[in-house]
Amino acid sequence: MTGGVLALGIGAVTASGCVWYVPALVDLRAGADRPVSRRLAAAGCVTGWTTSAVTTLLLVLGVPVPPVLAVVAAGAVAVVVLRIRAIVRRRAEEREDAACWAALDWAAPGRHGPSPALVAGTIGGGLGLALVTALLLLWGRDHGVGTVLAVTAPAAVAGGALLAAFAGTARPAAGPREAAVRRPGTRGAEVKALKQRS
């Protein structure tokens, strides 16, 4: 596979990734209106897709392979570091939220949306399928892989990603008031607090 074809493929994937990096840019632009953990995760997302775009540009310009790989490695390391920092910060924020709910005598609401493990598994599985597809397209033709597989494999990867995204968003999330559960024996404290306010 020539560098031009590879650049075209990476560029197409980068363009289709706007469903991830555009919301991430919005989070970064919102600044202090978003939690720190969310901004760190958004920075990691934007860094990853920026690395993909820069890689495409380097391939189009015909830059040798070692510098391109260096850019990819640097971008991957930056994404991993930002993601780890976002996870650590998110856990600290969850502890702070739990302390606030405890002060109000309410149990903390459950986590909304898909779990981080599900998201990581979906992304990892998609990247693994994409890698297998790339290997089949690069070296498969020399070993009897036909055009049908070369066309259906990327379609299967895209379809799997869409199904995973749909499964993660199909269940509506409950609001904080619906998810919060009052601890037993706190009704009197609530009534007393309401009387003091009035």
Side-chain angles (χ1 to χ4, degrees), residues 3 11 21 30 34 39 50 57 79 88 105 112 142 152 154 161 168 172 176:
Y21 57 75
R34 299 289 191 272
R39 283 181 278 157
T50 301
L57 180 62
V79 169
V88 171
D105 287 331
H112 302 310
D142 297 335
T152 56

Side-chain angles (χ1 to χ4, degrees), residues 50-161:
T50 301
T51 302
S52 177
V54 171
T55 302
T56 302
L57 180 62
L58 294 177
L59 290 173
V60 169
L61 296 176
V63 176
V65 174
V68 174
L69 292 179
V71 169
V72 172
V77 169
V79 169
V80 170
V81 169
L82 287 168
R83 188 59 188 164
I84 291 174
R85 289 186 61 194
I87 291 172
V88 171
R89 179 62 186 174
R90 177 61 183 162
R91 289 179 179 173
E93 291 170 352
E94 288 176 349
R95 288 193 296 269
E96 293 173 5
D97 291 343
C100 292
W101 282 105
L104 296 172
D105 287 331
W106 283 71
R111 184 192 299 271
H112 302 310
S115 66
L118 176 61
V119 174
T122 302
I123 294 174
L127 291 175
L129 288 174
L131 178 61
V132 170
T133 302
L135 292 176
L136 287 175
L137 292 175
L138 284 172
W139 294 289
R141 293 185 182 275
D142 297 335
H143 298 84
V145 176
T147 306
V148 175
L149 180 60
V151 173
T152 56
V157 172

